[in-house]
Amino acid sequence: MNKPNGANSDSRALLVVGGKPLTGEVRISGAKNSALPLICASMLADSPVILTNVPLLQDVHLICEVLTALGARCDFNNHELTIDPTSISRQDAPYELVRKMRASFLVTGPLLAKFGRAEVPLPGGCNIGPRPVDEHLRAFAELGAEIEFKKGVVYARGDTLKGAEVYFNISSVGATENLLMASAMAEGVTTLEHCAEEPEVADLVDFLVSLGVDIRWEGPRRIVVHGKRDLRQSEPYNIIPDRIEAGTYALAAVGTGGGVQVKNCRPQHMTALIEKLREMGVEVETGDDRLTIAPTEKVEATKVRTQPYPGFPTDLQPQMTTVLTRAGGLSVVTETIFEQRFSYVPELVRMGAGLLQQENAVVVDGNKSRLTGAPVEAYDLRGFAALTIAALMAQGESLIAGYNHLVRGYEDFIEKLTGLGAEVKLTDRSYKLKNNNHK
Ligand code: UD1
């Protein structure tokens, strides 16, 4: 994990020659944030599970390493992943793996439900502020688990979890997912109230249903789970497309004024972004599995506020702020989910963006922004995506360090951008930019 102002030992960097509108088509991969919980949920099954449309990403490989360390078998055949959970023999997830990714905490629910115990170190992850797991732990306890916390490790025990009424204080994606997996095998009925309803949560519900669990959505933010043992898959499960990846390419098109067709996505999962783009004067056409961004000469300033789904996603906030530097006038972007998600702001300012951050909001002055290439550093995954969009919008060369963050979440990033006509390549962070006086 690399802290803003801390040293990042990854010498790789992305070289971008900007100033050209993106054009053409891009095909979206399977959703990272679906793949991770679905891989964890596969541990609940009593026979091998096949997942298709699995994105080949570092985070996905990492969660497979965690499962492998527990005794499961994970075999990739391109984007098809077979998980054999029948050989799981341990319930203690290794710190060395878990510390690298917050989503590894999602092994807790299935381990506890299936084996009656889980020992999982508190997770690390992206540099986007403190991200506690108190909601997960309180809810496990409501199902009857005993929770202890010693030397940075959560010990959860409960031979028989019992269905309960769980109310989440925060509509947390991870807590909802962990509890869905725990209650899938609990005795009786569990009601999850005020839960997250992100498309990735819905994908996990569909996957658990495909394993034989009776789960129903009963009104907004309310899911009812009838626990069951002996879960088995009857046919491979196809992971939904990544709405954040799709949104990133759509925003890269808008930022550069280009016309791009985003293929193999689900526009119905992207309504908040699409509506916001239309409000900004961008022409967006949608089909069942694609959306098309028309070239735009002028973009209107706007207000954006991140919210749990179906609101505007926090994972697209940095990319949207970047695009708003080309809007005429003042925009305001407010972050309500992860308040420390502005590590990219000083880097964008170095590139010439007129930004002023005040607490959890950034004021973007499009009239005072003129992006030029510069060496910059990303401190988290979506920050890297935002700086890439800025570099594509800017005149001249940019060098983006912090490549280790990018590989966590964007499959074939360089190839996909190159396919849209971008000049991008992987290089070393010692590369000296041409025609550039930035230090
Ligand atoms: C997931 C996504 C992440 C996305 C986020 C919000 C994955 C692997 N990651 O992260 O990309 O940005 O949803 O859409 O799916 N919180 C608590 N206590 C808890 C749990 C959460 O206070 O026990 C707080 C967090 O600090 C944060 C907010 O709730 O401020 C939302 O977090 P959560 O929805 O849990 O995000 P993740 O599941 O970690």
Side-chain angles (χ1 to χ4, degrees):
M1 181 157 131
N2 306 295
K3 298 244 176 295
N5 307 322
N8 183 340
S9 57
D10 191 345
S11 66
R12 294 170 298 174
L14 190 70
L15 175 64
V16 181
V17 186
K20 265 204 307 187
L22 298 186
T23 53
E25 296 181 351
V26 59
R27 193 182 159 78
I28 298 309
S29 300
K32 166 178 90 72
N33 288 352
S34 268
L36 299 174
L38 264 63
I39 291 168
C40 294
S42 302
M43 290 198 287
L44 294 167
D46 281 328
S47 57
V49 164
I50 298 177
L51 299 174
T52 54
N53 200 30
V54 180
L56 301 177
L57 298 167
Q58 187 178 292
D59 275 8
V60 168
H61 291 297
L62 199 66
I63 199 75
C64 287
E65 276 185 60
V66 176
L67 260 70
T68 307
L70 298 172
R73 279 201 56 171
C74 297
D75 292 306
F76 280 93
N77 179 8
N78 205 357
H79 291 91
E80 182 176 298
L81 170 63
T82 305
I83 300 165
D84 184 353
T86 56
S87 48
I88 292 178
S89 54
R90 309 180 60 130
Q91 290 77 43
D92 54 333
Y95 171 69
E96 270 317 301
L97 296 172
V98 174
R99 74 177 180 86
K100 294 184 187 162
M101 183 177 63
R102 175 177 168 81
S104 349
F105 199 68
L106 292 174
V107 298
T108 315
L111 284 176
L112 178 62
K114 193 163 178 197
F115 303 99
R117 61 183 281 257
E119 294 179 20
V120 186
L122 279 184
C126 255
N127 297 315
I128 51 177
R131 296 168 79 179
V133 288
D134 53 323
E135 286 289 302
H136 306 229
L137 300 181
R138 188 180 54 77
F140 288 143
E142 287 189 26
L143 297 192
E146 274 175 38
I147 308 290
E148 259 192 293
F149 180 67
K150 280 187 281 188
K151 295 187 180 165
V153 178
V154 171
Y155 293 81
R157 301 220 187 305
D159 283 336
T160 326
L161 297 183
K162 292 216 164 42
E165 298 240 344
V166 174
Y167 178 86
F168 293 110
N169 294 308
I170 299 169
S171 299
S172 153
V173 173
T176 304
E177 292 170 344
N178 241 335
L179 264 292
L180 275 169
M181 295 185 278
S183 57
M185 274 200 174
E187 252 181 40
V189 183
T190 301
T191 308
L192 304 178
E193 190 89 58
H194 195 226
C195 56
E197 49 188 12
E198 268 65 4
E200 297 76 21
V201 171
D203 209 24
L204 175 62
V205 167
D206 290 347
F207 175 66
L208 291 170
V209 168
S210 80
L211 292 183
V213 189
D214 177 358
I215 307 183
R216 292 178 204 172
W217 292 88
E218 284 195 356
R221 303 201 177 281
R222 185 179 157 90
I223 308 178
V224 179
V225 184
H226 294 254
K228 181 175 181 284
R229 295 201 84 85
D230 194 22
L231 305 182
R232 286 169 201 275
Q233 189 181 51
S234 54
E235 53 185 50
Y237 188 88
N238 198 44
I239 291 173
I240 58 168
D242 196 315
R243 66 193 165 100
I244 305 301
E245 189 198 14
T248 299
Y249 288 109
L251 284 165
V254 178
T256 60
V260 166
Q261 190 172 82
V262 183
K263 289 168 65 179
N264 190 41
C265 63
R266 296 225 183 131
Q268 74 266 32
H269 293 163
M270 301 169 66
T271 315
L273 171 68
I274 293 169
E275 287 309 313
K276 191 50 74 179
L277 289 176
R278 286 181 176 150
E279 197 188 302
M280 288 158 62
V282 181
E283 231 179 86
V284 188
E285 250 185 60
T286 59
D288 281 349
D289 67 347
R290 63 193 58 207
L291 63 87
T292 310
I293 304 288
T296 335
E297 268 182 33
K298 201 166 144 270
V299 172
E300 304 291 337
T302 188
K303 284 189 182 148
V304 179
R305 194 177 172 81
T306 63
Q307 293 286 353
Y309 187 84
F312 193 91
T314 174
D315 286 354
L316 288 176
Q317 176 263 108
Q319 302 89 313
M320 179 54 112
T321 305
T322 306
V323 169
L324 286 172
T325 61
R326 73 166 283 229
L330 293 179
S331 299
V332 182
V333 179
T334 308
E335 175 59 58
T336 73
I337 313 282
F338 296 116
E339 294 189 1
Q340 293 178 21
R341 197 161 209 180
F342 287 123
S343 62
Y344 66 92
V345 166
E347 304 298 304
L348 264 192
V349 170
R350 282 168 51 71
M351 295 180 74
L355 305 181
L356 181 68
Q357 187 196 335
Q358 278 194 325
E359 294 176 2
N360 69 332
V362 173
V363 179
V364 186
D365 189 342
N367 294 333
K368 289 200 180 137
S369 299
R370 193 171 158 271
L371 300 185
T372 50
V376 286
E377 174 149 4
Y379 300 104
D380 63 49
L381 171 61
R382 307 304 171 186
F384 198 108
L387 291 174
T388 306
I389 294 176
L392 292 167
M393 292 165 66
Q395 289 302 326
E397 286 190 338
S398 295
L399 188 70
I400 310 169
Y403 195 74
N404 53 314
H405 297 295
L406 179 78
V407 293
R408 295 187 44 214
Y410 287 91
E411 190 177 47
D412 298 335
F413 192 60
I414 293 178
E415 292 78 358
K416 288 185 186 185
L417 283 177
T418 307
L420 293 173
E423 254 187 81
V424 283
K425 78 170 188 194
L426 188 60
T427 182
D428 192 89
R429 69 185 297 175
S430 61
Y431 177 90
K432 293 278 172 282
L433 296 182
K434 292 184 193 118
N435 310 324
N436 194 308
N437 297 321
H438 288 275
K439 297 231 164 72

